[in-house]
Amino acid sequence: FIIRMAALEIYNENVRDLLQDKSPSVKLLDDPIKGTVADGLSEAGVASEQQLQQLLNEVAARRQVRCLALQPACSVFCMGLK
């Protein structure tokens, strides 16, 4: 099996790759077959539970968490199994 993960955050109308420290904005595009896709979003291979936990900790540290009534933060975590 191959396990890969990706994580993004939508905050203040900006989409950021949470696997990269200083990532350029990710673009959300509409694909007629796949639906909405995140162009420029990086993926990381996961070989163990410990590596997954480390990546999740890094992603959590990069999130911009602020409590705003009209503009809540949103993070998305995706995993794929092949």
Side-chain angles (χ1 to χ4, degrees):
F1 291 101
I2 297 172
I3 300 174
R4 303 194 56 76
M5 69 166 277
L8 64 83
E9 175 181 59
I10 302 171
Y11 182 79
N12 246 0
E13 298 184 19
N14 292 316
V15 183
R16 293 184 329 118
D17 185 340
L18 293 177
L19 289 177
Q20 302 293 322
D21 274 329
K22 305 238 180 198
S23 73
S25 289
V26 174
K27 294 184 185 207
L28 296 179
L29 304 173
D30 288 323
D31 183 285
I33 297 171
K34 297 179 185 177
T36 303
V37 295
D39 184 45
L41 185 64
S42 63
E43 292 183 336
V46 179
S48 67
E49 183 179 344
Q50 292 80 18
Q51 184 182 17
L52 175 60
Q53 189 60 52
Q54 178 185 355
L55 287 168
L56 289 173
N57 290 339
E58 290 173 12
V59 163
R62 290 185 185 114
R63 289 184 64 215
Q64 294 184 17
V65 181
R66 293 192 180 85
C67 223
L68 301 173
L70 297 177
Q71 203 164 9
C74 178
S75 298
V76 178
F77 168 77
C78 300
M79 285 187 71
L81 178 65
K82 194 175 191 181

